[in-house]
């Protein structure tokens, strides 16, 4: 006889941040800008009311290395986005969660430029349609 394991809800959306991004010419020994951005977002995400809807995922490279820092969003049935040229600042970190909240709240996942938080109104490298 097996006991039922408690079910842990899995967020339906993911905010991906590349932890290995660094600007061109940065010292290889320096803490990577991507790591700094990820840690700033993680600190906010820990107490963020939307954390049940959006998981945070630190990843090593999203093939936008020449356009550091890179941030992406994905969710089932929604387009995926890859943003680039993001500075590892507290403003960007807060805006990333604001953007993720918009994405999670949208039925279509479409993020119109004028509605996005300031740091995310530019720098889209890719908008990939949802799978069929
Ligand atoms: S190192 Fe960040 S996208 Fe490649």
């Amino acid at each position: 006889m097996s006991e039922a394991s408690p079910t842990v809800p899995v967020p339906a959306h993911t905010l991906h941040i590349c932890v290995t991004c660094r600007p061109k010419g940065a010292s290889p020994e320096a803490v990577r800008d991507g790591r700094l951005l990820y840690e700033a977002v993680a600190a906010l995400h820990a107490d963020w009311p939307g954390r049940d809807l959006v998981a945070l995922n630190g990843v090593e490279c999203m093939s936008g290395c020449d356009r550091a820092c890179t941030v992406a969003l994905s969710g089932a049935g929604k387009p995926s986005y890859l943003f680039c040229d993001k500075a590892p600042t507290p403003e960007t970190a807060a805006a990333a969660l604001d953007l993720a909240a918009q994405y999670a709240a949208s039925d279509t996942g479409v993020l119109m430029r004028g509605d996005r938080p300031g740091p995310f109104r530019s720098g889209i490298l890719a908008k990939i349609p949802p799978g069929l």
Side-chain angles (χ1 to χ4, degrees):
M1 185 168 152
S2 64
E3 292 182 35
S5 61
T7 53
V8 177
V10 176
H13 310 87
T14 305
L15 174 63
H16 311 270
I17 299 179
C18 175
V19 300
T20 51
C21 270
R22 63 180 176 199
K24 290 177 190 168
S27 166
E29 286 81 35
V31 176
R32 303 212 176 197
D33 280 9
R35 172 63 64 185
L36 294 174
L37 181 57
Y38 172 79
E39 289 178 358
V41 174
L44 297 173
H45 186 264
D47 296 321
W48 187 52
R51 63 179 288 136
D52 290 344
L53 297 174
V54 182
L56 178 61
N57 184 31
V59 298
E60 293 185 356
C61 196
M62 293 190 279
S63 294
C65 321
D66 288 342
R67 305 285 300 271
C69 296
T70 58
V71 173
L73 280 166
S74 61
K78 297 183 178 181
S80 298
Y81 289 88
L82 176 61
F83 293 90
C84 62
D85 302 329
K86 300 303 161 235
T89 64
E91 178 191 18
T92 304
L97 291 184
D98 289 346
L99 185 75
Q102 288 179 3
Y103 186 70
S106 167
D107 290 339
T108 64
V110 174
L111 298 168
M112 301 303 290
R113 178 187 175 118
D115 297 332
R116 298 194 303 258
F120 289 90
R121 288 194 180 149
S122 62
I124 288 186
L125 267 183
K127 177 185 174 192
I128 302 165
L132 299 178

